């Protein structure tokens, strides 16, 4: 194939991987309306991926967007707790209904299907991946501008299923300032490139701590590598999230929507620019 790929397979004669992926895409529920889907990924656990998903969704909602969150981390769902959502998911002959956060964000999560939120989900990969697909094909997403998918860490069954079967407009990669971050980000970038999905931004959590006395930024976990890595892999936007006690306090209290930050504005701008999967 010559030149750059536009991802418009209808006008292309090349038999490339993007064309093969096209046939694997699943249609959303017939009553759903979703304009753009954004995946939030990480190469390893414990970097604050679910927190980033929540903050991005809350930020987008404050910009006037109709927002949804698909919690695809089936065995470790944490989205509902951060939003203070406890009610059970309901359904009828039409399909599965989302649960609504206090500010109006639609969401589905495994924890909203369990009798007890502390009950473990002891399932094999194929069952987990199938459940994630049901969150797309069987759930009714009502007039959603941006649907964020909080994916489990790594490049296993669920991320592969989402990349192949759901029309992603792009992904946001979440990381922290440790030395192994380059390798972790590289894995996520390479997977995105193989699957033909744009990387829209890099979010570095726990990037720094602001001294409460002098206001100096202290890089607790070492010097930030986010800008250098973003430049190396041509990632267009970087957000550096601080170690801030208010974030954990609000998340624990189910009030993550109350957190105010401008740190995500550049990443959000790239999300706004991203083309829908079916755009030419």
């Amino acid at each position: 194939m010559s030149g750059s790929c536009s991802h418009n397979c209808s006008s292309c004669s090349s038999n490339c991987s993007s064309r093969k992926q096209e046939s694997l895409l699943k249609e959303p529920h017939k009553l759903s309306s979703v304009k753009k889907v954004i995946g939030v990924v990480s190469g390893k656990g414990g970097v604050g991926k679910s927190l980033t998903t929540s903050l991005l969704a809350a930020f987008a909602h404050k910009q006037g967007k109709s927002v949804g969150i698909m919690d695809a981390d089936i065995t470790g769902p944490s989205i509902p707790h951060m939003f203070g959502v406890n009610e059970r998911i309901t359904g009828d002959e039409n399909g599965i209904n989302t649960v609504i956060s206090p500010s109006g964000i639609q969401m589905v999560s495994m924890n909203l299907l369990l009798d007890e939120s502390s009950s473990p989900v002891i399932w094999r990969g194929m069952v987990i991946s199938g459940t994630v697909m049901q969150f797309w094909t069987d759930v009714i997403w009502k007039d959603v501008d941006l649907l964020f998918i909080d994916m489990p860490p790594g490049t296993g069954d669920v991320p592969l299923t989402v990349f192949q079967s759901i029309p992603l407009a792009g992904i946001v990669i979440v990381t922290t300032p440790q030395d192994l971050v380059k390798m972790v980000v590289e894995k996520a970038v390479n997977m995105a490139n193989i699957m033909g999905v744009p990387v829209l931004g890099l979010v570095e959590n726990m990037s720094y701590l602001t001294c409460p006395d002098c206001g100096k930024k202290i890089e607790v976990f070492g010097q930030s590598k986010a800008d250098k890595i973003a430049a190396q892999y041509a990632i267009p936007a970087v957000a550096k999230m601080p170690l801030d006690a208010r974030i954990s306090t609000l998340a624990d209290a189910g009030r993550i929507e109350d957190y105010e930050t401008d740190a995500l504005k550049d990443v959000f701008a790239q999300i706004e620019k991203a083309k829908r999967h079916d755009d030419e």
Side-chain angles (χ1 to χ4, degrees), residues 89-97:
I89 286 175
T90 61
D92 53 33
E93 65 275 8
N94 292 320
I96 301 170
N97 301 309

Side-chain angles (χ1 to χ4, degrees), residues 121-135:
V121 178
I122 308 174
W123 293 349
R124 295 190 183 276
M126 289 292 289
V127 179
I128 293 173
S129 297
T131 300
V132 172
M133 282 315 306
Q134 284 187 287
F135 285 173

Side-chain angles (χ1 to χ4, degrees), residues 5-11 22 34-36 167-169 271-280:
C5 179
S6 67
H7 303 295
N8 179 20
C9 297
S10 62
S11 63
E22 190 79 15
V34 179
K35 292 181 179 177
K36 195 180 295 184
L168 295 174
I271 291 172
E272 283 272 79
K273 292 178 184 177
K275 293 183 178 180
R276 293 172 52 175
H277 190 278
D278 54 359
D279 284 345
E280 295 189 7

Side-chain angles (χ1 to χ4, degrees), residues 211-268:
C211 176
D213 296 324
C214 67
K216 180 181 178 181
K217 289 185 178 181
I218 305 168
E219 294 178 316
V220 180
F221 297 110
Q223 186 175 6
S224 172
K225 301 170 181 62
D227 292 323
K228 182 178 180 180
I229 292 171
Q232 180 177 352
Y233 296 107
I235 300 173
V238 171
K240 298 177 183 179
M241 296 300 299
L243 274 167
D244 187 346
R246 290 178 300 158
I247 297 178
S248 56
T249 298
L250 289 171
D252 288 344
R255 296 172 47 213
I256 196 63
E257 292 166 294
D258 294 343
Y259 187 73
E260 299 288 342
T261 180
D262 287 330
L264 296 167
K265 63 181 181 180
D266 290 342
V267 173
F268 177 73

